[in-house]
Amino acid sequence: MSGRQQKPDATTSIMLVDLLKSLKSLMDYKMLSQHTGIPVSTLTRYITDKTLPRGKKSLELVNKLLNIEDIKTLVSQRIVVNGEDVDVSRVVAESHLMKLASIYLMKEYAGHRVDCALALDNAGLVLATTFGLQSMKEIYYCETNDVMVEHGWAEIRYRVKGVKTGSRVYVPKTVLNKNVLIFLGVFDSLAPLSQIRDKILDSKGDVVGVTGLVAFKELKKQVKPYQLGRVFFFAEV
């Protein structure tokens, strides 16, 4: 996780409550109390939104709770791999896991200026939406439908190695001059990411990083340092 230090604020308190609620779906109050050191009666008030945790210990507790459950392992256990096909539907189906993952990403990208989340595929949109709602960031998605080209969308063409015909994707023009965090369900091709990054940089924006649920290990190795900002995936295959 990022080594940059944060100061506790109202956002940290809300993050802590969301985290407690998500963990409560995995264990009972007694076990959660043992992990956190918070009395059951106090946990009940937090989780039922009767009060918010305060003080500098909130941030320390967020860091501690993120290590209670190994989120990477939880994600990996739900991924189905069949040859070159990767199915992440079981991951995105569990809302509490998506919430845990997005809180983890808020910590992972703490200190980085993120204006918006941009999803490149359907599973990435689930994670981007959860992240955007919790962090109060704008949420966008890409299209492959060419009828969008004249309605505020920028066409980006790319070519996948080994494929004769070129491909294209449409990105909302409004994101091009922002600090963008790109979300993917499965990182299975570098080509569209490189072209999207170039388009954003040409438009005076920046790609803060690329994140998502799972990446092909060999493909991730091809990403050069700083090429796509901070790259983080919960699992590799």
Side-chain angles (χ1 to χ4, degrees), residues 140 147-155 170-176:
Y140 298 92
V147 299
M148 296 291 183
V149 68
E150 296 181 359
H151 299 278
W153 299 73
E155 180 186 75
Y170 299 93
V171 177
K173 291 180 180 178
T174 50
V175 311
L176 297 179

Side-chain angles (χ1 to χ4, degrees), residues 123-163:
L125 181 56
V126 176
L127 184 57
T129 301
T130 310
F131 175 87
L133 289 173
Q134 289 193 291
S135 61
M136 300 301 293
K137 304 299 182 184
E138 297 174 357
I139 307 162
Y140 298 92
Y141 62 90
C142 294
E143 265 285 357
T144 55
N145 189 342
D146 60 8
V147 299
M148 296 291 183
V149 68
E150 296 181 359
H151 299 278
W153 299 73
E155 180 186 75
I156 297 176
R157 300 187 180 191
Y158 63 94
R159 187 175 295 276
V160 178
K161 186 177 181 180
V163 179

Side-chain angles (χ1 to χ4, degrees), residues 21-23 25-26 78 93-101:
K21 288 179 179 179
S22 297
L23 289 171
S25 67
L26 301 173
R78 289 158 175 76
E94 298 190 29
S95 57
H96 68 272
L97 183 54
M98 287 293 92
K99 184 170 285 189
L100 284 172

Side-chain angles (χ1 to χ4, degrees), residues 190-209:
L190 183 58
L193 289 171
S194 297
Q195 294 303 314
I196 290 172
R197 173 188 176 274
D198 290 347
K199 185 72 172 180
I200 290 174
L201 292 181
D202 288 344
S203 302
K204 308 304 180 184
D206 189 28
V207 173
V208 177

Side-chain angles (χ1 to χ4, degrees), residues 22-53:
S22 297
L23 289 171
K24 176 60 180 62
S25 67
L26 301 173
M27 61 186 74
D28 59 24
Y29 275 111
K30 183 177 180 180
M31 184 176 295
L32 188 56
S33 177
Q34 291 174 349
H35 280 300
T36 61
I38 301 174
V40 171
S41 58
T42 304
L43 283 174
T44 303
R45 291 198 297 273
Y46 290 162
I47 292 173
T48 56
D49 296 319
K50 292 182 178 178
T51 187
L52 274 177

Side-chain angles (χ1 to χ4, degrees), residues 1-234:
M1 282 208 180
S2 173
R4 303 183 187 217
Q5 293 186 348
Q6 286 180 286
K7 294 181 179 180
D9 54 17
T11 302
T12 304
S13 297
I14 295 171
M15 185 189 302
L16 176 55
V17 172
D18 280 338
L19 190 51
L20 289 170
K21 288 179 179 179
S22 297
L23 289 171
K24 176 60 180 62
S25 67
L26 301 173
M27 61 186 74
D28 59 24
Y29 275 111
K30 183 177 180 180
M31 184 176 295
L32 188 56
S33 177
Q34 291 174 349
H35 280 300
T36 61
I38 301 174
V40 171
S41 58
T42 304
L43 283 174
T44 303
R45 291 198 297 273
Y46 290 162
I47 292 173
T48 56
D49 296 319
K50 292 182 178 178
T51 187
L52 274 177
R54 303 289 183 184
K56 62 181 180 180
K57 288 188 176 180
S58 295
L59 186 58
E60 296 174 6
L61 196 51
V62 167
N63 291 324
K64 179 180 178 180
L65 290 178
L66 286 174
N67 292 321
I68 288 178
E69 292 290 341
D70 186 344
I71 301 175
K72 290 185 177 181
T73 299
L74 290 175
V75 171
S76 297
Q77 289 173 342
R78 289 158 175 76
I79 293 172
V80 178
V81 180
N82 182 15
E84 294 185 355
D85 296 323
V86 179
D87 182 0
V88 296
S89 59
R90 288 179 58 201
V91 183
V92 298
E94 298 190 29
S95 57
H96 68 272
L97 183 54
M98 287 293 92
K99 184 170 285 189
L100 284 172
S102 65
I103 293 173
Y104 192 98
L105 290 177
M106 288 171 68
K107 294 293 295 177
E108 188 70 27
Y109 288 91
H112 296 266
R113 181 181 174 184
V114 178
D115 296 326
C116 64
L118 174 66
L120 265 63
D121 58 19
N122 290 336
L125 181 56
V126 176
L127 184 57
T129 301
T130 310
F131 175 87
L133 289 173
Q134 289 193 291
S135 61
M136 300 301 293
K137 304 299 182 184
E138 297 174 357
I139 307 162
Y140 298 92
Y141 62 90
C142 294
E143 265 285 357
T144 55
N145 189 342
D146 60 8
V147 299
M148 296 291 183
V149 68
E150 296 181 359
H151 299 278
W153 299 73
E155 180 186 75
I156 297 176
R157 300 187 180 191
Y158 63 94
R159 187 175 295 276
V160 178
K161 186 177 181 180
V163 179
K164 292 183 179 180
T165 58
S167 300
R168 63 190 70 188
V169 65
Y170 299 93
V171 177
K173 291 180 180 178
T174 50
V175 311
L176 297 179
N177 63 347
K178 299 179 183 293
N179 295 292
V180 184
L181 180 58
I182 298 176
F183 286 77
L184 286 162
V186 181
F187 178 25
D188 56 4
S189 176
L190 183 58
L193 289 171
S194 297
Q195 294 303 314
I196 290 172
R197 173 188 176 274
D198 290 347
K199 185 72 172 180
I200 290 174
L201 292 181
D202 288 344
S203 302
K204 308 304 180 184
D206 189 28
V207 173
V208 177
V210 175
T211 188
L213 298 176
V214 58
F216 281 92
K217 189 179 301 183
E218 294 305 315
L219 182 61
K220 188 180 175 186
K221 289 180 180 178
Q222 297 177 23
V223 179
K224 299 176 183 178
Y226 309 110
Q227 180 182 4
L228 297 171
R230 184 174 181 81
V231 178
F232 174 84
F233 285 86
F234 288 96

